[in-house]
Amino acid sequence: MEPSLLQGGTEVVSNALKVSIAIPVYNEESIIEELLRRCLAVLDSLPSGPHEIVLVDDGSSDRTWALISHASALDGRIVGITLSRNFGHQAAIGAALDHTSGDFVVVMDGDLQDPPEAIPDLLAEAQKGFDVVYVVRVGRKENVWLRTCYSLFYRLITLLADLQLPMGAGDFAIMSRRVVDLVRQSPERQRYLRGLRTWYGFQQKGLEIERNARHSGRSKYSLRRLLRLAFDGVFAFSVVPIRLATAFGMLAVSCSVLFAVYSLIVKVFFGKSQSPEGFTALIFAITFLSGVQLLFLGVIGEYIGRIYEEVKQRPHYIVKQVIATRAKHGE
Ligand code: UDP
Ligand code: MG
């Protein structure tokens, strides 16, 4: 038995276990206090410590940052970070992960749809040796239309990408330090955390937990933003759409070649020529093919746009201010 294998397998041996909760928030002034109260209560119930909460204010325009900075000035367990503007949910999660120092990191939404009370269960599973324990939401409280979109999307991505995205799993999960570091080292800009997390492998496990309705405030995800996230998921993990273009192109070329051969045979052996009768078919072919071309120009554009975003190498987010009164040991 190789000793290095053993070392890689056993993660946390010491008793001093630290848990970080990473939470992105955007205009959630009505929830912050309740969120912190419940999270701190959960942290108090965990053994060892000191644990921490890393709250990232994603450029809110309401009192969110005032509340966070106040709380983190008072309580050393709360790290508050504010970004220079709104960078989006996934970037804000990235910012939060970059500021965590725990052995295990919980990623959670700030609207209390993910119950913080599930954290001890997640941690217990993680300590059994799972690097990722994600929450599978049962009993979604969103409307039927959104639920249908979600389930269609999960099916689509499993079909297109070579990635077994667990059905119904969101970003709410606990991750070991090594997975968090892998996420942080993944240079891509358009991160799709639940996809990346799955892609890393290791031991992963799903826990079924009831998802609540939003505590208060309203969802920041419009249909447009949801679609964008879905697109990020598909295009970041699948080259199938771009390969479809090749397949369609080959089909179109084969059809036209066959048609040309057919016309030639008819002309040479039967002396008939193609009459203007086929006019409708012609128009159809032209419009259909231009449609297909435009569609796939869009698909190619989607990939090129993403390549462009990546090569620019801009930072994922810009920090405006950090408030952390925690003791800076071991950093
Ligand atoms: N959020 C964020 N930046 C954004 C949009 C959302 O940090 O640009 C936060 C938001 O405050 C919440 C979490 O991300 O804590 C999930 O957002 P939301 O609840 O609006 O999404 P939904 O649950 O409806 O998918
Ligand atoms: Mg929500």
Side-chain angles (χ1 to χ4, degrees), residues 109 111 113 211 214 219:
D109 280 358
D111 56 4
Q113 271 187 292
R211 188 160 213 240
R214 241 174 181 279
S219 172

